[in-house]
Amino acid sequence: MAENPAPRFIPNAFVRIDDGGVTLIMPHTEVGQGIYTSSAMLMAEELELELEQVSLVAAPPDMSKYMDPILHDQATGGSTSTRSDWLRLRQAGAAARIMLVAAAASRWAVPAHECHVQKGIIRHDASGRALTYAEVAADAALQQVPENIPLKKASEFRLIGTRARRLDTPAKVDGSMIYGIDIRVPGMKHATLALSPVKGGRFLSLDETAARRVPGVIDLVKSGDGDAVAVIGEHMWAAKQGLEALKIEWGSGTNGHVSTSSIVAKMEVASQEQGVVVRNDGNAPQAIAGAPVKLSAVYQSPFLSHSPLEPLNCTLHIREDGADLWVGTQVPVRAQKAVADAIGLPLESVAVHNLLMGGAFGRRLDIDTIEVAAKLLREIRYPVKLVWTREQDMTHDYYRPFYYDRVSAGLDKDGTLIARTHRVTGSSIFARWAPAAFKNGIDPDAVDCAAETPYDEGAVLADYVRNEPDGMNTSWWRGVGATHNLFVIESFVDEMAHATNQDPLEFRRRMLTRNPRALAVLNLAADKAGWGEKLQPGHGRGISLQVAFGSYLAHILDVEVRDDNIVRLLRSVIAIDCGITINPDTVRAQMEGGVLFGLSAALFNQVTVTNGAVDQSNFDTYRVLRINEVPRIEVYQVESNEEPGGVGEAGTAAAAGALANAIFSATGRRLRSLPVNEHLA
């Protein structure tokens, strides 16, 4: 196959136009959230193209061009993609259009304002002349990049706000879509690995004899630290059979004593000490002490696994003068550096080919799997695809932290909140992943939605106690800190309402006098859900309200709790104001997928530890909602002219609080620990 012609017009980091058409160089990665489509809509809107006229390629590692301005990293996460690209991709498209039109006008010797563009064709109506973008691309490359780049008004949008079909759907349907695990490279071999079941453990003994006799096994490689071994085969089955034939005796090291109970006990002690103050308005403890109604509670949120459907994998070809890495990653610059550092190569000699991911949920914001591959394969000079089995993936995850929260509140005789305190105890992801953001002992993610709420508040004291669990790695998980804090806050708001004999909806409404956008989504959800209707015995209805990721969301969930304590999800009503909507179908899909992800975790999931090793190893012990268990989901979007907010994680964060409140509505039992199936029985 002949190579594509050399690029002819690259006015900025994001737009490329040549004989092959118009290409968007995507600064963010696609993990199933639909960003390839909505980002293309942003650029195509200003370039006056139809969406189908845009091709996409993943951006190479280059922090100077593709850094997310919110995350300060070339990273995809935190529901920041659209918020970060809202202006810069539109400006990139507009700048390219201005230069292309100027080139055509110059060729025709007419004023540029007499020209207009439709579907990538520049027209001069007075003379009847027309040119395609490709035809003037070379001339446009000689134009000066404009400093002033006017953008369309919302009233002028053709694409933004419309229900656009996703660009990646056809390839997913016909099977031609290439994910990381699908990649094929000439001469490639296959490998899988075993890691110490306990963090910090090492080989005590390793008998390779039987493994090397397995047909198709080519080689066996071990880490220098003695904590990992991989078998390389002609195909995955040979590698897997070879690995199973290994006789390994592991030593547990210093973490062999660790258990879930020991981790929680350590957190409970730590939570009794004053933390680093995050917010201190008024004198909350004193106000609570003098309040007519006082409440206090302890909430616990478990470790959670990411468990994306596509197991972790990467394909690595190391040469003497460089390396190629084929992988689906949320952090291409970090991935590049991981290989370069492990092998001892210059950074620029490592090429990263970023591929689509079959789910990530934050797991691929870390590069430990790439580091392991590079260390194991550093002496191998043929390409190897290293695949983690589901069991290795789940038992060696970087887990959503366990959190231990102490909350208290005081209300006056009229049932008005006058003061609250919230102490978050848990691991700091920022301290490890982005130390510069961990300032003065405060992890901004750990206290997200805890220090600041949508509600009218008087005195507030919020503090944070950093407590790192023994033997566990922690990291980002879909919804990040908001998932656990909204479970705590929204459950506790319900506790306040019931303690003062108030309807949970009306109690929230009373506290939203200064937050019209939050009140609007709450009212919309309540209206669509039929709040106030009489429910059948055993049925319950719960609310969760949030301002997170730049979006406003209310979730009302209906459940039935059977006599055997099995919870049946009936109906989920979501109202969201995410500012200007790029693609309404994407928002709806993200709400549906996000809330189901969150409900699965809240109902069933936790990661527990025994003798230093994780107990859950596959979907039989870490299960997700089945299709017959899924509630009817209704999503209502508020029209808004505000700048876009994030939606990828908002639905997940809205799940647990509404679920816990619905269960209380049905049973009168208040759940302060998750998962439900563990603590409701």
Side-chain angles (χ1 to χ4, degrees):
M1 181 180 296
E3 294 185 359
N4 287 331
R8 297 172 62 189
F9 178 44
I10 307 176
N12 49 59
F14 307 106
V15 178
R16 185 178 72 203
I17 299 176
D18 54 32
D19 289 340
V22 180
T23 300
L24 167 59
I25 304 169
M26 272 295 300
H28 290 99
T29 50
E30 177 68 64
V31 292
Q33 80 279 41
I35 197 67
Y36 268 27
T37 302
S38 55
S39 291
M41 292 172 72
L42 295 176
M43 187 189 76
E45 181 71 71
E46 297 289 347
L47 253 175
E48 294 296 356
L49 296 169
E50 295 302 307
L51 188 57
E52 294 76 16
Q53 293 177 276
V54 180
S55 299
L56 296 95
V57 296
D62 190 334
M63 199 76 77
S64 66
K65 294 180 179 178
Y66 303 111
M67 182 183 75
D68 183 301
I70 298 176
L71 298 177
H72 303 288
D73 200 334
Q74 189 176 340
T76 301
S79 297
T80 66
S81 296
T82 297
R83 289 185 283 167
S84 295
D85 294 343
W86 166 243
L87 285 178
R88 65 178 180 174
L89 290 189
R90 290 165 63 214
Q91 289 171 339
R97 187 197 71 246
I98 292 169
M99 296 169 72
L100 289 158
V101 169
S106 177
R107 185 180 297 186
W108 295 329
V110 301
H113 69 264
E114 291 184 2
C115 304
H116 66 94
V117 182
Q118 185 178 23
K119 297 183 180 181
I121 299 176
I122 308 166
R123 300 183 184 277
H124 183 247
D125 291 340
S127 64
R129 286 175 290 186
L131 289 168
T132 66
Y133 279 168
E135 289 174 322
V136 295
D139 290 351
L142 304 176
Q143 295 285 323
Q144 186 173 356
V145 177
E147 295 183 4
N148 179 34
I149 307 174
L151 300 176
K152 288 184 179 181
K153 299 176 182 176
S155 60
E156 299 172 320
F157 291 155
R158 293 184 311 104
L159 296 177
I160 293 174
T162 64
R163 298 177 59 187
R165 295 179 180 179
R166 284 182 55 156
L167 296 175
D168 53 358
T169 298
K172 288 180 177 177
V173 172
D174 66 21
S176 61
M177 180 69 72
I178 301 298
Y179 294 87
I181 205 166
D182 298 322
I183 195 69
R184 296 288 186 271
V185 178
M188 182 185 78
K189 308 303 179 183
H190 301 256
T192 190
L193 81 169
L195 298 146
S196 169
V198 180
K199 182 182 178 182
R202 300 288 186 269
F203 302 125
L204 293 179
S205 65
L206 175 64
D207 187 344
E208 309 171 11
T209 308
R212 291 189 179 275
R213 291 175 179 166
V214 172
V217 167
I218 298 171
D219 209 342
L220 184 146
V221 289
K222 296 172 284 188
S223 68
D225 296 332
D227 60 350
V229 58
V231 175
I232 304 173
E234 290 288 354
H235 43 76
M236 182 62 182
W237 182 246
K240 189 173 185 296
Q241 292 297 103
L243 191 72
E244 291 178 359
L246 282 176
K247 296 179 180 179
I248 308 174
E249 183 182 359
W250 294 101
S252 297
T254 59
N255 290 316
H257 68 286
V258 175
S259 66
T260 304
S261 59
S262 70
I263 291 172
V264 177
K266 181 182 171 186
M267 282 195 174
E268 194 276 335
V269 171
S271 73
Q272 297 180 42
E273 300 296 326
Q274 174 73 51
V276 179
V277 174
V278 181
R279 179 182 176 188
N280 189 10
D281 295 344
N283 191 329
Q286 183 178 22
I288 293 171
V293 180
K294 306 177 186 65
L295 291 86
S296 62
V298 171
Y299 282 81
Q300 297 181 47
S301 304
F303 292 112
L304 292 172
S305 173
H306 299 85
S307 302
L309 190 60
E310 180 198 8
L312 299 175
N313 64 87
C314 67
T315 300
L316 186 59
H317 186 191
I318 300 171
R319 305 176 305 276
E320 296 301 328
D321 61 345
D324 281 272
L325 173 68
W326 294 266
V327 68
T329 178
Q330 295 171 259
V331 282
V333 170
R334 293 182 184 226
Q336 182 186 45
K337 189 174 187 301
V339 173
D341 288 351
I343 304 171
L345 290 170
L347 195 64
E348 62 275 8
S349 69
V350 178
V352 177
H353 310 276
N354 205 355
L355 302 167
L356 295 186
M357 290 162 267
F361 315 121
R363 180 63 179 97
R364 290 176 167 95
L365 280 166
D366 275 295
I367 40 79
D368 55 296
T369 57
I370 299 168
E371 290 175 331
V372 168
K375 290 176 181 178
L376 286 170
L377 301 172
R378 62 185 304 165
E379 302 301 326
I380 303 297
R381 291 297 177 264
Y382 48 81
V384 178
K385 180 192 293 182
L386 179 62
V387 178
W388 297 48
T389 63
R390 177 72 60 201
E391 289 76 14
Q392 291 297 318
D393 184 351
M394 197 173 289
T395 55
H396 296 85
D397 201 347
Y398 274 44
Y399 305 97
R400 199 287 300 270
F402 193 109
Y403 290 104
Y404 194 101
D405 292 66
R406 292 185 180 273
V407 289
S408 63
L411 298 95
D412 65 17
K413 59 183 179 59
D414 297 320
T416 300
L417 175 64
I418 56 177
R420 71 174 180 94
T421 66
H422 190 155
R423 176 171 298 155
V424 177
T425 301
S427 173
S428 171
I429 303 169
F430 266 118
R432 173 188 65 83
W433 196 87
F438 182 69
K439 298 178 180 177
N440 303 317
I442 298 172
D443 186 303
D445 174 65
V447 298
D448 188 21
C449 296
E452 304 289 340
T453 75
Y455 303 112
D456 304 342
E457 296 183 311
V460 177
L461 174 61
D463 61 333
Y464 169 65
V465 177
R466 182 185 179 189
N467 184 268
E468 298 298 336
D470 296 328
M472 299 288 282
N473 295 313
T474 62
S475 192
W476 315 111
W477 188 87
R478 187 176 187 179
V480 287
T483 55
H484 112 268
N485 283 322
L486 287 167
F487 161 59
V488 176
I489 289 289
E490 287 301 294
S491 296
F492 198 50
V493 167
D494 252 44
E495 290 202 52
M496 297 179 207
H498 289 291
T500 53
N501 299 312
Q502 297 184 72
D503 175 82
L505 173 64
E506 293 305 323
F507 182 63
R508 286 174 170 82
R509 281 173 169 164
R510 288 182 58 197
M511 296 194 296
L512 292 170
T513 63
R514 296 190 294 270
N515 201 328
R517 293 179 73 184
L519 180 60
V521 293
L522 181 63
N523 286 339
L524 178 59
D527 176 63
K528 297 297 185 180
W531 187 272
E533 298 171 346
K534 184 175 177 59
L535 302 177
Q536 299 177 37
H539 287 227
R541 181 170 286 166
I543 303 175
S544 180
L545 176 68
Q546 67 190 55
V547 179
F549 313 107
S551 294
Y552 296 71
L553 186 151
H555 180 209
I556 296 181
L557 182 68
D558 287 4
V559 305
E560 177 189 8
V561 182
R562 302 184 337 198
D563 291 340
D564 58 1
N565 290 322
I566 297 297
V567 177
R568 180 168 166 247
L569 305 173
L570 302 176
R571 184 187 181 204
S572 168
V573 177
I574 296 171
I576 181 168
D577 173 357
C578 58
I580 291 177
T581 300
I582 313 306
N583 185 348
D585 282 355
T586 297
V587 175
R588 181 183 184 87
Q590 286 300 289
M591 292 302 101
E592 293 171 343
V595 77
L596 293 178
F597 191 84
L599 288 171
S600 285
L603 279 168
F604 308 124
N605 292 338
Q606 62 179 331
V607 168
T608 58
V609 183
T610 302
N611 296 327
V614 169
D615 299 315
Q616 293 72 25
S617 61
N618 213 317
F619 290 122
D620 57 337
T621 50
Y622 193 89
R623 90 172 189 84
V624 296
L625 280 168
R626 301 182 176 99
I627 195 166
N628 64 303
E629 298 171 319
V630 170
R632 184 170 85 250
I633 302 176
E634 301 170 22
V635 180
Y636 300 95
Q637 301 178 42
V638 175
E639 290 189 14
S640 173
N641 288 321
E642 299 289 339
E643 290 197 357
V647 299
E649 295 165 288
T652 299
L659 175 63
N661 292 336
I663 290 171
F664 179 85
S665 170
T667 66
R669 294 182 60 183
R670 177 62 61 188
L671 296 181
R672 299 191 183 98
S673 297
L674 296 174
V676 167
N677 68 341
E678 174 80 13
H679 297 281
L680 186 62

